[in-house]
Amino acid sequence: MHCINTTALSVTQHNYNTKSDQLIQLKKKITCTIVTHLFEHPAGSYKKIFETCEDLSEPLPATVTGRIPTFLKGSLLRLGPGLFEVGDEPFYHLFDGQALMHKFDFKNGQVTYYRKFILTDAYVRAITEKRVVITEFGTCAYPDPCKNIFSRFFSYFKGVEVTDNCLVNVYPVGEDYYAVTETNYITKVNTDTLETLKKVDMCDYVNINGVTAHPHIEKDGTVYNIGNCMGKGATLAYNIVKTPPTQKDKSDPIEKSKVVVQFPSAERFKPSYVHSFGMSENYFVFVETPVKINLLKFLSAWSIRGSNYMDCFESNESQGTLFHIAKKDPGEYIDLKFKGAPIGMFHHINTYEDQGFIVVDLCSWKGFEFVYNYLWLANLRANWEEVKKAAMMAPQPEVRRYVIPLDVHKEEQGKNLVSLPYTTATATMHADGMIWLEPEVLFSGPRQAFEFPQINYKRYGGKNYTYAYGLGLNHFIPDRICKLNVKTKETWVWQEPDSYPSEPLFVQTPDGVDEDDGVLLTIVAAPGSQRPGYLLILNAKDLSEVARAEVDCTIPVTFHGMYKP
């Protein structure tokens, strides 16, 4: 593994690093360590990132150290939970807290920070009634105790009321922006004022039960997403949905959404949990993991006795992991059977085609157990030794590369079909026509996850690439920013004691030539500091600090977001 000591750097940077800035970096004592050097967190200050905070009535000016790159002129938008209890009722899971939108604005080298809760039905009704009203991922809503016994009884039989708590991500559709979770509801927001504008039900436009928070967006603004649906013959399936870019007549692109291709489900009434999918220039890749949603359990248990989403997940220990591919335009499912050992998988890193193969890089968790079982807030708020003990029982994370051959012939049984010279990943034809995939491991560290991956998406999404950036999870606690060379497996790391960063977003230098010419933007919580939250800007080349913008308020955990120029 490669290590760079950023305190001893002399790097030519694009219009944002002077000698005085380097001295500031020395003062900050930022060091880059090899990934095997692990920070310990005995003080438990990470617990603060899972605590409720309040709206801001107006933007706060940030104190800037270093120099903000002149090409940063827009906003960093982030989503995450901000309300972790309502009245006396707590939310129990990491994905239950009510959606809070964060915004760092860049203007003339200055930075301001602003945040507001998104006024979803889940949030407004919870605040109004001072209790959990709509069931969340791991928290069940019960009938109003003030109602009489008969109305409480009948309220159990109203069917599923799906949450619109859009705490996961934000992305553009046409000229609009939507905060999203993983249900059928997406919420239109004003990214300038952070006002909530409109709740949209994707079921009104396409056959879908829900969509992921990780769409693929092409240069022209076309949006592709995936979700499970009711397919042919009353069986579950997965649809890829295409939403066109901005319309000339200014009509809503969502109204013109359509299904372009459908993937089959391995089990009729138990679709796999899907968090993201792969897309290359000409193909879609869907990884069907052994983590299942038991639909019958979901419907019956929920309506009769009150359950949450987590109650309805189970693992198919014998399925393994299935890899499905489809042509993109025109959409056409390719009926080849690719299979690998069981993994959990949430985030694809990149997918590209090369010499008749599809290369699929992703963040995996070994085995068939559902990783979300380890993300209960009680686990994450435990003392450090307890956090580590719980994580030791969880699946082991790995960054993996799978290679899928497009040209498959039955007579090639027992032979490795992968001929790409730069990977050890294999694909072997079995007698029944199934092709077994073995991955190449790009990164692995004990209980150290490279997660929430990002790349130079605008230039290298769907193309052969070199660099991935990620959030390092230390026994599930986010405590570093990582860079990975997927070709050489070299790694770079930024971390500071008692500092908890978020997903790093890559912003290309306008005149940049190299793939990693740019900066990374991440929000860091530093609960013990004088200013406990800040925006950190890192040089994407070596993870040296370019600048930070500190604010006088705490910032809770955030999941995903975007840079809006």
Short mmCIF file of all heavy atoms in Angstrom, two decimals, residues 339-378:
data_model
loop_
_atom_site.label_atom_id
_atom_site.label_comp_id
_atom_site.label_asym_id
_atom_site.label_seq_id
_atom_site.Cartn_x
_atom_site.Cartn_y
_atom_site.Cartn_z
N LYS A 339 -23.06 -16.46 -11.86
CA LYS A 339 -23.26 -16.66 -10.42
C LYS A 339 -21.93 -16.58 -9.69
O LYS A 339 -20.88 -16.92 -10.24
CB LYS A 339 -23.91 -18.03 -10.18
CG LYS A 339 -24.33 -18.30 -8.74
CD LYS A 339 -25.07 -19.62 -8.63
CE LYS A 339 -25.51 -19.91 -7.20
NZ LYS A 339 -26.26 -21.18 -7.09
N GLY A 340 -21.99 -16.13 -8.43
CA GLY A 340 -20.81 -16.08 -7.58
C GLY A 340 -21.16 -16.45 -6.17
O GLY A 340 -22.33 -16.70 -5.84
N ALA A 341 -20.16 -16.48 -5.29
CA ALA A 341 -20.39 -16.78 -3.88
C ALA A 341 -21.26 -15.67 -3.26
O ALA A 341 -21.31 -14.55 -3.77
CB ALA A 341 -19.05 -16.89 -3.15
N PRO A 342 -21.96 -15.96 -2.16
CA PRO A 342 -22.87 -14.98 -1.57
C PRO A 342 -22.15 -13.74 -1.04
O PRO A 342 -21.13 -13.85 -0.36
CB PRO A 342 -23.55 -15.75 -0.44
CG PRO A 342 -22.64 -16.88 -0.13
CD PRO A 342 -21.98 -17.24 -1.41
N ILE A 343 -22.69 -12.58 -1.38
CA ILE A 343 -22.20 -11.31 -0.85
C ILE A 343 -23.39 -10.40 -0.57
O ILE A 343 -24.47 -10.55 -1.15
CB ILE A 343 -21.24 -10.57 -1.82
CG1 ILE A 343 -21.94 -10.28 -3.17
CG2 ILE A 343 -19.94 -11.31 -2.01
CD1 ILE A 343 -21.18 -9.33 -4.08
N GLY A 344 -23.19 -9.48 0.35
CA GLY A 344 -24.08 -8.34 0.48
C GLY A 344 -23.46 -7.22 -0.32
O GLY A 344 -22.24 -7.12 -0.45
N MET A 345 -24.30 -6.38 -0.91
CA MET A 345 -23.75 -5.32 -1.76
C MET A 345 -24.71 -4.14 -1.77
O MET A 345 -25.89 -4.30 -2.01
CB MET A 345 -23.54 -5.86 -3.18
CG MET A 345 -22.65 -5.00 -4.06
SD MET A 345 -23.49 -3.59 -4.80
CE MET A 345 -24.68 -4.40 -5.85
N PHE A 346 -24.16 -2.97 -1.53
CA PHE A 346 -24.97 -1.75 -1.54
C PHE A 346 -24.52 -0.80 -2.64
O PHE A 346 -25.34 -0.25 -3.36
CB PHE A 346 -24.92 -1.08 -0.17
CG PHE A 346 -25.26 -2.03 0.93
CD1 PHE A 346 -24.29 -2.55 1.77
CD2 PHE A 346 -26.57 -2.47 1.10
CE1 PHE A 346 -24.60 -3.47 2.75
CE2 PHE A 346 -26.89 -3.40 2.08
CZ PHE A 346 -25.90 -3.90 2.91
N HIS A 347 -23.22 -0.64 -2.80
CA HIS A 347 -22.74 0.40 -3.72
C HIS A 347 -21.83 -0.15 -4.82
O HIS A 347 -20.81 -0.77 -4.55
CB HIS A 347 -21.97 1.47 -2.92
CG HIS A 347 -22.82 2.16 -1.91
ND1 HIS A 347 -22.55 2.13 -0.56
CD2 HIS A 347 -23.95 2.89 -2.05
CE1 HIS A 347 -23.47 2.82 0.09
NE2 HIS A 347 -24.33 3.28 -0.80
N HIS A 348 -22.26 0.08 -6.06
CA HIS A 348 -21.37 -0.11 -7.20
C HIS A 348 -20.37 1.06 -7.23
O HIS A 348 -20.71 2.19 -6.88
CB HIS A 348 -22.17 -0.10 -8.50
CG HIS A 348 -22.89 -1.38 -8.78
ND1 HIS A 348 -22.43 -2.33 -9.66
CD2 HIS A 348 -24.05 -1.87 -8.29
CE1 HIS A 348 -23.27 -3.34 -9.70
NE2 HIS A 348 -24.27 -3.09 -8.88
N ILE A 349 -19.16 0.77 -7.68
CA ILE A 349 -18.15 1.82 -7.84
C ILE A 349 -18.16 2.31 -9.29
O ILE A 349 -18.34 3.49 -9.56
CB ILE A 349 -16.75 1.33 -7.45
CG1 ILE A 349 -16.74 0.86 -5.99
CG2 ILE A 349 -15.71 2.43 -7.66
CD1 ILE A 349 -15.44 0.22 -5.54
N ASN A 350 -17.97 1.37 -10.22
CA ASN A 350 -18.00 1.71 -11.65
C ASN A 350 -18.18 0.43 -12.44
O ASN A 350 -17.85 -0.67 -11.97
CB ASN A 350 -16.72 2.44 -12.08
CG ASN A 350 -16.90 3.24 -13.36
OD1 ASN A 350 -18.01 3.43 -13.84
ND2 ASN A 350 -15.80 3.73 -13.92
N THR A 351 -18.70 0.56 -13.66
CA THR A 351 -18.93 -0.57 -14.56
C THR A 351 -18.53 -0.12 -15.96
O THR A 351 -18.97 0.94 -16.41
CB THR A 351 -20.42 -0.97 -14.55
OG1 THR A 351 -20.83 -1.24 -13.20
CG2 THR A 351 -20.68 -2.18 -15.42
N TYR A 352 -17.69 -0.92 -16.61
CA TYR A 352 -17.28 -0.52 -17.97
C TYR A 352 -17.03 -1.75 -18.83
O TYR A 352 -16.88 -2.88 -18.34
CB TYR A 352 -16.04 0.37 -17.92
CG TYR A 352 -14.78 -0.29 -17.41
CD1 TYR A 352 -13.90 -0.94 -18.28
CD2 TYR A 352 -14.44 -0.24 -16.05
CE1 TYR A 352 -12.74 -1.53 -17.81
CE2 TYR A 352 -13.28 -0.83 -15.58
CZ TYR A 352 -12.43 -1.48 -16.46
OH TYR A 352 -11.28 -2.08 -16.00
N GLU A 353 -17.01 -1.52 -20.13
CA GLU A 353 -16.76 -2.60 -21.11
C GLU A 353 -15.32 -2.53 -21.60
O GLU A 353 -14.76 -1.44 -21.76
CB GLU A 353 -17.71 -2.43 -22.30
CG GLU A 353 -19.19 -2.48 -21.94
CD GLU A 353 -20.04 -1.72 -22.96
OE1 GLU A 353 -19.78 -1.86 -24.18
OE2 GLU A 353 -20.94 -0.98 -22.54
N ASP A 354 -14.74 -3.69 -21.84
CA ASP A 354 -13.37 -3.76 -22.36
C ASP A 354 -13.17 -5.08 -23.09
O ASP A 354 -13.26 -6.15 -22.48
CB ASP A 354 -12.36 -3.62 -21.20
CG ASP A 354 -10.93 -3.43 -21.69
OD1 ASP A 354 -10.73 -3.24 -22.90
OD2 ASP A 354 -10.01 -3.46 -20.84
N GLN A 355 -12.94 -5.02 -24.37
CA GLN A 355 -12.56 -6.17 -25.20
C GLN A 355 -13.52 -7.35 -25.05
O GLN A 355 -13.11 -8.50 -24.91
CB GLN A 355 -11.13 -6.62 -24.85
CG GLN A 355 -10.08 -5.52 -25.00
CD GLN A 355 -8.73 -5.95 -24.45
OE1 GLN A 355 -8.19 -6.99 -24.84
NE2 GLN A 355 -8.16 -5.14 -23.56
N GLY A 356 -14.81 -7.06 -25.06
CA GLY A 356 -15.80 -8.14 -24.99
C GLY A 356 -16.15 -8.58 -23.58
O GLY A 356 -16.77 -9.64 -23.40
N PHE A 357 -15.77 -7.78 -22.58
CA PHE A 357 -16.08 -8.09 -21.19
C PHE A 357 -16.72 -6.88 -20.52
O PHE A 357 -16.48 -5.74 -20.93
CB PHE A 357 -14.81 -8.48 -20.42
CG PHE A 357 -14.11 -9.70 -20.97
CD1 PHE A 357 -13.11 -9.57 -21.92
CD2 PHE A 357 -14.47 -10.97 -20.55
CE1 PHE A 357 -12.47 -10.68 -22.43
CE2 PHE A 357 -13.84 -12.09 -21.06
CZ PHE A 357 -12.84 -11.95 -22.00
N ILE A 358 -17.52 -7.15 -19.50
CA ILE A 358 -18.02 -6.08 -18.63
C ILE A 358 -17.29 -6.20 -17.30
O ILE A 358 -17.32 -7.26 -16.65
CB ILE A 358 -19.54 -6.19 -18.40
CG1 ILE A 358 -20.31 -6.15 -19.73
CG2 ILE A 358 -20.01 -5.04 -17.50
CD1 ILE A 358 -21.81 -6.34 -19.57
N VAL A 359 -16.61 -5.14 -16.92
CA VAL A 359 -15.88 -5.10 -15.64
C VAL A 359 -16.77 -4.41 -14.61
O VAL A 359 -17.24 -3.28 -14.83
CB VAL A 359 -14.54 -4.36 -15.80
CG1 VAL A 359 -13.80 -4.31 -14.47
CG2 VAL A 359 -13.68 -5.05 -16.86
N VAL A 360 -17.01 -5.10 -13.50
CA VAL A 360 -17.93 -4.60 -12.47
C VAL A 360 -17.16 -4.46 -11.16
O VAL A 360 -16.78 -5.45 -10.54
CB VAL A 360 -19.12 -5.57 -12.28
CG1 VAL A 360 -20.11 -5.01 -11.26
CG2 VAL A 360 -19.81 -5.85 -13.61
N ASP A 361 -16.95 -3.22 -10.72
CA ASP A 361 -16.27 -2.95 -9.45
C ASP A 361 -17.30 -2.54 -8.41
O ASP A 361 -18.15 -1.67 -8.68
CB ASP A 361 -15.23 -1.85 -9.61
CG ASP A 361 -14.04 -2.27 -10.47
OD1 ASP A 361 -13.94 -3.48 -10.79
OD2 ASP A 361 -13.22 -1.40 -10.81
N LEU A 362 -17.24 -3.15 -7.24
CA LEU A 362 -18.25 -2.85 -6.23
C LEU A 362 -17.71 -3.03 -4.82
O LEU A 362 -16.67 -3.64 -4.60
CB LEU A 362 -19.49 -3.71 -6.45
CG LEU A 362 -19.33 -5.21 -6.69
CD1 LEU A 362 -19.11 -5.95 -5.38
CD2 LEU A 362 -20.54 -5.77 -7.40
N CYS A 363 -18.44 -2.48 -3.86
CA CYS A 363 -18.12 -2.64 -2.45
C CYS A 363 -18.96 -3.81 -1.92
O CYS A 363 -20.19 -3.73 -1.95
CB CYS A 363 -18.45 -1.37 -1.67
SG CYS A 363 -17.57 0.09 -2.23
N SER A 364 -18.31 -4.86 -1.49
CA SER A 364 -19.04 -6.06 -1.09
C SER A 364 -18.86 -6.34 0.41
O SER A 364 -17.94 -5.82 1.05
CB SER A 364 -18.56 -7.27 -1.89
OG SER A 364 -17.25 -7.65 -1.48
N TRP A 365 -19.74 -7.19 0.92
CA TRP A 365 -19.65 -7.69 2.29
C TRP A 365 -19.80 -9.21 2.18
O TRP A 365 -20.82 -9.70 1.71
CB TRP A 365 -20.75 -7.09 3.16
CG TRP A 365 -20.63 -5.60 3.28
CD1 TRP A 365 -21.03 -4.66 2.36
CD2 TRP A 365 -20.06 -4.86 4.36
NE1 TRP A 365 -20.74 -3.39 2.80
CE2 TRP A 365 -20.16 -3.48 4.04
CE3 TRP A 365 -19.50 -5.22 5.59
CZ2 TRP A 365 -19.70 -2.48 4.89
CZ3 TRP A 365 -19.04 -4.22 6.44
CH2 TRP A 365 -19.15 -2.87 6.09
N LYS A 366 -18.79 -9.95 2.59
CA LYS A 366 -18.74 -11.40 2.36
C LYS A 366 -19.84 -12.13 3.12
O LYS A 366 -20.08 -11.85 4.29
CB LYS A 366 -17.38 -11.95 2.76
CG LYS A 366 -16.23 -11.43 1.92
CD LYS A 366 -14.86 -11.76 2.50
CE LYS A 366 -14.56 -13.24 2.38
NZ LYS A 366 -13.16 -13.53 2.82
N GLY A 367 -20.49 -13.07 2.41
CA GLY A 367 -21.51 -13.90 3.06
C GLY A 367 -22.91 -13.44 2.75
O GLY A 367 -23.13 -12.51 1.97
N PHE A 368 -23.88 -14.09 3.35
CA PHE A 368 -25.28 -13.82 3.03
C PHE A 368 -26.01 -13.01 4.10
O PHE A 368 -27.17 -12.68 3.95
CB PHE A 368 -26.04 -15.14 2.80
CG PHE A 368 -25.84 -16.16 3.87
CD1 PHE A 368 -26.48 -16.03 5.10
CD2 PHE A 368 -25.00 -17.24 3.67
CE1 PHE A 368 -26.30 -16.95 6.10
CE2 PHE A 368 -24.81 -18.19 4.68
CZ PHE A 368 -25.47 -18.05 5.90
N GLU A 369 -25.34 -12.67 5.20
CA GLU A 369 -26.01 -11.92 6.26
C GLU A 369 -26.20 -10.46 5.87
O GLU A 369 -25.36 -9.86 5.21
CB GLU A 369 -25.22 -12.01 7.57
CG GLU A 369 -26.01 -11.46 8.75
CD GLU A 369 -25.25 -11.54 10.06
OE1 GLU A 369 -24.07 -11.96 10.07
OE2 GLU A 369 -25.82 -11.16 11.09
N PHE A 370 -27.33 -9.89 6.31
CA PHE A 370 -27.68 -8.51 5.98
C PHE A 370 -26.90 -7.55 6.88
O PHE A 370 -27.06 -7.56 8.10
CB PHE A 370 -29.18 -8.31 6.16
CG PHE A 370 -29.73 -7.08 5.51
CD1 PHE A 370 -29.13 -6.50 4.40
CD2 PHE A 370 -30.89 -6.49 6.00
CE1 PHE A 370 -29.66 -5.37 3.79
CE2 PHE A 370 -31.43 -5.35 5.41
CZ PHE A 370 -30.81 -4.79 4.30
N VAL A 371 -26.07 -6.72 6.28
CA VAL A 371 -25.21 -5.80 7.05
C VAL A 371 -26.04 -4.80 7.86
O VAL A 371 -25.61 -4.35 8.94
CB VAL A 371 -24.24 -5.07 6.09
CG1 VAL A 371 -23.46 -4.00 6.83
CG2 VAL A 371 -23.28 -6.08 5.47
N TYR A 372 -27.23 -4.47 7.39
CA TYR A 372 -28.05 -3.50 8.12
C TYR A 372 -28.41 -4.01 9.51
O TYR A 372 -28.83 -3.21 10.37
CB TYR A 372 -29.33 -3.20 7.34
CG TYR A 372 -29.14 -2.34 6.10
CD1 TYR A 372 -27.87 -1.99 5.66
CD2 TYR A 372 -30.23 -1.89 5.37
CE1 TYR A 372 -27.70 -1.22 4.52
CE2 TYR A 372 -30.07 -1.11 4.23
CZ TYR A 372 -28.80 -0.78 3.81
OH TYR A 372 -28.63 -0.02 2.68
N ASN A 373 -28.27 -5.32 9.77
CA ASN A 373 -28.49 -5.85 11.12
C ASN A 373 -27.52 -5.25 12.14
O ASN A 373 -27.77 -5.33 13.34
CB ASN A 373 -28.33 -7.37 11.13
CG ASN A 373 -29.45 -8.08 10.39
OD1 ASN A 373 -30.56 -7.56 10.31
ND2 ASN A 373 -29.17 -9.25 9.85
N TYR A 374 -26.43 -4.66 11.64
CA TYR A 374 -25.41 -4.10 12.53
C TYR A 374 -25.48 -2.57 12.61
O TYR A 374 -24.61 -1.95 13.21
CB TYR A 374 -24.02 -4.55 12.06
CG TYR A 374 -23.85 -6.05 12.19
CD1 TYR A 374 -24.23 -6.90 11.15
CD2 TYR A 374 -23.37 -6.61 13.37
CE1 TYR A 374 -24.12 -8.28 11.29
CE2 TYR A 374 -23.26 -7.99 13.51
CZ TYR A 374 -23.65 -8.81 12.46
OH TYR A 374 -23.55 -10.18 12.60
N LEU A 375 -26.52 -2.00 12.02
CA LEU A 375 -26.62 -0.54 11.99
C LEU A 375 -27.75 0.00 12.86
O LEU A 375 -28.28 1.08 12.61
CB LEU A 375 -26.78 -0.06 10.53
CG LEU A 375 -25.62 -0.44 9.59
CD1 LEU A 375 -25.87 0.10 8.19
CD2 LEU A 375 -24.29 0.07 10.12
N TRP A 376 -28.10 -0.76 13.87
CA TRP A 376 -29.02 -0.23 14.87
C TRP A 376 -28.31 0.86 15.66
O TRP A 376 -27.12 0.76 15.95
CB TRP A 376 -29.49 -1.35 15.81
CG TRP A 376 -30.29 -2.41 15.11
CD1 TRP A 376 -29.84 -3.62 14.69
CD2 TRP A 376 -31.67 -2.33 14.74
NE1 TRP A 376 -30.87 -4.31 14.07
CE2 TRP A 376 -32.00 -3.54 14.08
CE3 TRP A 376 -32.67 -1.35 14.88
CZ2 TRP A 376 -33.27 -3.80 13.58
CZ3 TRP A 376 -33.94 -1.61 14.38
CH2 TRP A 376 -34.24 -2.81 13.75
N LEU A 377 -29.04 1.91 15.98
CA LEU A 377 -28.41 3.04 16.67
C LEU A 377 -27.83 2.64 18.02
O LEU A 377 -26.80 3.18 18.44
CB LEU A 377 -29.43 4.18 16.83
CG LEU A 377 -29.77 4.91 15.52
CD1 LEU A 377 -30.99 5.81 15.70
CD2 LEU A 377 -28.58 5.73 15.03
N ALA A 378 -28.44 1.68 18.68
CA ALA A 378 -27.89 1.22 19.96
C ALA A 378 -26.49 0.65 19.77
O ALA A 378 -25.62 0.83 20.63
CB ALA A 378 -28.82 0.16 20.57
#
